[in-house]
Amino acid sequence: MRVSLLLVVLVATSIPALGQDNSDLLREHFLTNKSTYDYGEPILAVYQYYNASGDTESFTVPEFCDPFPKLVGHVNWGVCYLSFKTFTLSAKTGVEYVYKIDPALQAFPYEDSPTHTILIDGWEERGTMTFEAPRYLGGVIEVEVADDADPNEVDAIRDALNAEDIDLSVSFYEGPFWQIEGTQIGEAQALYGDNPVFDRFRPIVPFPDYEIRPLIEVEDDVVLSASIDGGVLGGGSFLEDTPIDISIALTNHTESALGLSYPGGLEATYEILTTGTNPQVISGIECYCLGVTTSHERTVAAGQRVAWPEEDESLQCFTFVPEECGVGPGTYTLQAYAVNYYDPISIPFTVLPVLADEPGTTPFSASLSAAPNPFSASTTISLTLSATHDVEAVAYDVLGRRVAILHEGTLAAGTHPLTFEATRLPAGVYVVRVLGGGLALTQRVTLAR
């Protein structure tokens, strides 16, 4: 329950994290997937929240636009609703946020030094993660050319900045955009931010792609997390002819190194089970891994996280197409293991049938978009259908909880505006899903105050 709401302006380097004293129960763990990165290599910032007690516990914590990575030395302003949220975690369980930071889009890291630090305002604590990476000269400029601008002058500026037009349709912003190579985005703004040929010329930092994964303890202070296709908690819905990606990670929260050097190497696996009173393992060809081993043995240092698949592994074992491995339409449970840690994570998911085309008809198609995005109070979700269809459009928060029903019922062919009204919701990221028959569409939107 929301107990208070206060509109505040946050400066990333000056506002401490607040909350009740749950430190003995709610553990926060912040880490990157590697300590040294190559030029332009994606950086994974991982935030784990874990109920260390032996009982189900409720936690009341503040929200700062959800935990979000910020680079120390760069002041990021953001307007959020500072609110207090109560959530419940079962004993020895938690959640794991995994942010994927793309240096090409985020001009990250900014500093000349090879050492960089990410700052996190977590639910209870403030933490930092330090790593080594080369300076990446890049970024994204949000550009709107004035109606009376000279096209030759615009082209000359683009050439001077070595700018390229890029497509960020998968992000939360709409174009036009330039990606800058060979200069910092701040320098570009200083040179051309006030130029009259542009109605808008400003650097932006797109919200990183991220996953939210369930977390369980599989041994004292050793936790396991997993996800299906990067979906929100609770799995998701997938067409039977669409590949589904699996990921598994094990984190050592102990104070000493964890020896995972088995004769066959470090191993992970997963199984797919039917649901009901008598669940059965689906055993079709290529349906699940019979044991994925790395090519080397491993010792996991205190605080370190190891994930499958890894760069030196075949990705095929962690990707399957339901109809190719005997998994038909229905509801299933994925159970993920780290071998020799036999408490699995269970994630439900649904396989949807593919609609067959009737003779003489055109194939069914659909699309989903949102504008404005980000938005401050409400946004319009545009659903376009090529034929009449029964659909359900629902908005979820990042923990997979249903927060709004946008439509239920039949819609004719054409484009339909669906309003997502969010004035009573906290700032953050929401997912709109449209399902019905073989239809499965997803649109992420950002509510900013």
Side-chain angles (χ1 to χ4, degrees):
M1 176 181 292
R2 306 285 176 187
V3 294
S4 70
L5 287 175
L6 174 64
L7 185 65
V8 296
V9 177
L10 301 181
V11 182
T13 55
S14 63
I15 303 294
L18 303 174
Q20 68 182 32
D21 185 12
N22 292 323
S23 56
D24 291 338
L25 303 179
L26 181 63
R27 294 185 184 173
E28 297 185 79
H29 190 59
F30 310 125
L31 68 159
T32 53
N33 62 314
K34 296 174 65 175
S35 58
T36 302
Y37 295 87
D38 295 326
Y39 182 82
E41 184 179 5
I43 299 166
L44 295 187
V46 182
Y47 312 165
Q48 294 180 342
Y49 302 96
Y50 167 65
N51 173 17
S53 78
D55 300 306
T56 297
E57 298 286 350
S58 294
F59 302 95
T60 301
V61 296
E63 292 181 297
F64 293 91
C65 295
D66 289 325
F68 182 72
K70 311 170 184 71
L71 189 72
V72 170
H74 241 57
V75 176
N76 292 330
W77 290 85
V79 179
C80 309
Y81 275 99
L82 172 58
S83 58
F84 290 86
K85 176 174 67 176
T86 298
F87 66 98
T88 301
L89 294 175
S90 300
K92 308 297 184 180
T93 68
V95 292
E96 175 183 83
Y97 289 69
V98 182
Y99 289 91
K100 184 177 182 180
I101 300 170
D102 185 346
L105 297 182
Q106 309 240 338
F108 190 108
Y110 295 91
E111 306 298 331
D112 289 321
S113 167
T115 302
H116 312 279
T117 301
I118 297 175
L119 173 71
I120 309 97
D121 280 327
W123 284 349
E124 288 264 333
E125 300 177 0
R126 165 170 285 188
T128 58
M129 298 179 286
T130 300
F131 54 91
E132 291 186 0
R135 182 183 179 194
Y136 191 91
L137 299 176
V140 180
I141 300 290
E142 184 178 14
V143 179
E144 183 175 345
V145 178
D147 293 337
D148 58 351
D150 181 349
N152 292 327
E153 187 174 0
V154 174
D155 289 342
I157 294 174
R158 181 190 284 111
D159 292 342
L161 293 173
N162 296 318
E164 296 182 0
D165 294 321
I166 62 172
D167 177 18
L168 280 184
S169 59
V170 298
S171 186
F172 302 127
Y173 301 89
E174 297 178 359
F177 288 95
W178 291 354
Q179 178 169 322
I180 308 299
E181 292 287 352
T183 184
Q184 289 193 83
I185 54 178
E187 295 171 359
Q189 185 186 33
L191 288 171
Y192 300 107
D194 297 327
N195 193 307
V197 304
F198 301 109
D199 286 337
R200 180 173 56 202
F201 191 98
R202 62 188 181 192
I204 65 169
V205 180
F207 199 95
D209 289 336
Y210 71 98
E211 302 176 9
I212 304 177
R213 306 175 177 183
L215 194 70
I216 67 167
E217 182 179 88
V218 291
E219 189 174 287
D220 290 344
D221 287 328
V222 178
V223 297
L224 183 73
S225 60
S227 71
I228 302 178
D229 207 32
V232 298
L233 289 178
S237 298
F238 307 91
L239 294 177
E240 59 182 329
D241 63 350
T242 302
I244 298 176
D245 296 323
I246 309 298
S247 60
I248 305 170
L250 193 70
T251 306
N252 175 17
H253 284 191
T254 70
E255 296 180 357
S256 59
L258 182 65
L260 296 178
S261 51
Y262 310 129
L266 185 56
E267 196 170 316
T269 187
Y270 60 86
E271 297 175 336
I272 300 171
L273 281 67
T274 59
T275 56
T277 56
N278 186 27
Q280 300 293 317
V281 174
I282 302 292
S283 57
I285 299 174
E286 296 296 334
C287 185
Y288 63 93
C289 297
L290 297 176
V292 186
T293 58
T294 63
S295 58
H296 55 277
E297 298 180 354
R298 177 72 61 86
T299 297
V300 182
Q304 186 179 354
R305 176 179 180 271
V306 59
W308 299 268
E310 293 186 314
E311 293 179 358
D312 59 352
E313 295 169 350
S314 168
L315 298 180
Q316 181 179 2
C317 197
F318 286 93
T319 299
F320 73 94
V321 178
E323 67 179 8
E324 294 179 1
C325 67
V327 180
T331 301
Y332 301 91
T333 298
L334 177 133
Q335 289 192 334
Y337 302 80
V339 175
N340 278 20
Y341 294 88
Y342 292 109
D343 290 333
I345 278 188
S346 297
I347 305 176
F349 68 99
T350 301
V351 175
L352 302 173
V354 178
L355 291 181
D357 298 329
E358 296 181 6
T361 65
T362 57
F364 177 78
S365 62
S367 63
L368 196 63
S369 62
N373 190 18
F375 67 101
S376 60
S378 66
T379 186
T380 299
I381 307 296
S382 296
L383 172 62
T384 301
L385 304 174
S386 64
T388 300
H389 209 63
D390 290 329
V391 300
E392 177 187 64
V394 178
Y396 298 86
D397 66 12
V398 293
L399 293 180
R401 297 172 299 197
R402 180 178 295 201
V403 297
I405 298 176
L406 309 187
H407 180 82
E408 286 182 309
T410 302
L411 290 175
T415 299
H416 304 273
L418 309 176
T419 300
F420 178 22
E421 176 63 52
T423 54
R424 296 180 180 274
L425 296 174
V429 177
Y430 295 86
V431 176
V432 176
R433 284 181 173 169
V434 176
L435 301 176
L439 185 64
L441 299 174
T442 300
Q443 174 69 47
R444 266 199 274 184
V445 294
T446 302
L447 173 59
R449 305 295 187 181

